[in-house]
Amino acid sequence: MRAIVLGRKNYLFMGSPRGGKSDAIAYSLIETAKLNGIDPQAWLTDVLTNIADHPINRIDELLPWNWAANVATDAVA
């Protein structure tokens, strides 16, 4: 949350309401990854690399709280 407070004045210049909404989604996902003890950069890199080949009916597996369990399972296998 500190990053959001520090950048508050910068967020006034998102360019458009759509840009603000996109940033809000990105911040929500990044903070959710942090709250789940996941490195946001590693999570985003993996998700963005593999999302095109991932079945749409299993998209919930890419959410931070499910992704960590899947990565741990893949590492053991």
Side-chain angles (χ1 to χ4, degrees), residues 19-33 40 43-44:
K21 185 176 180 178
S22 296
D23 281 349
I25 291 168
Y27 282 117
S28 296
L29 290 170
I30 290 168
E31 290 300 319
T32 301
W43 171 69
L44 279 172

Side-chain angles (χ1 to χ4, degrees), residues 5-50:
V5 173
L6 291 175
R8 188 177 328 179
K9 288 188 180 183
N10 293 335
Y11 304 143
L12 295 173
F13 304 101
M14 292 294 178
S16 69
R18 188 173 173 191
K21 185 176 180 178
S22 296
D23 281 349
I25 291 168
Y27 282 117
S28 296
L29 290 170
I30 290 168
E31 290 300 319
T32 301
K34 288 180 185 178
L35 287 172
N36 283 280
I38 298 168
D39 174 24
Q41 185 175 1
W43 171 69
L44 279 172
T45 301
D46 185 59
V47 168
L48 293 175
T49 301
N50 297 314

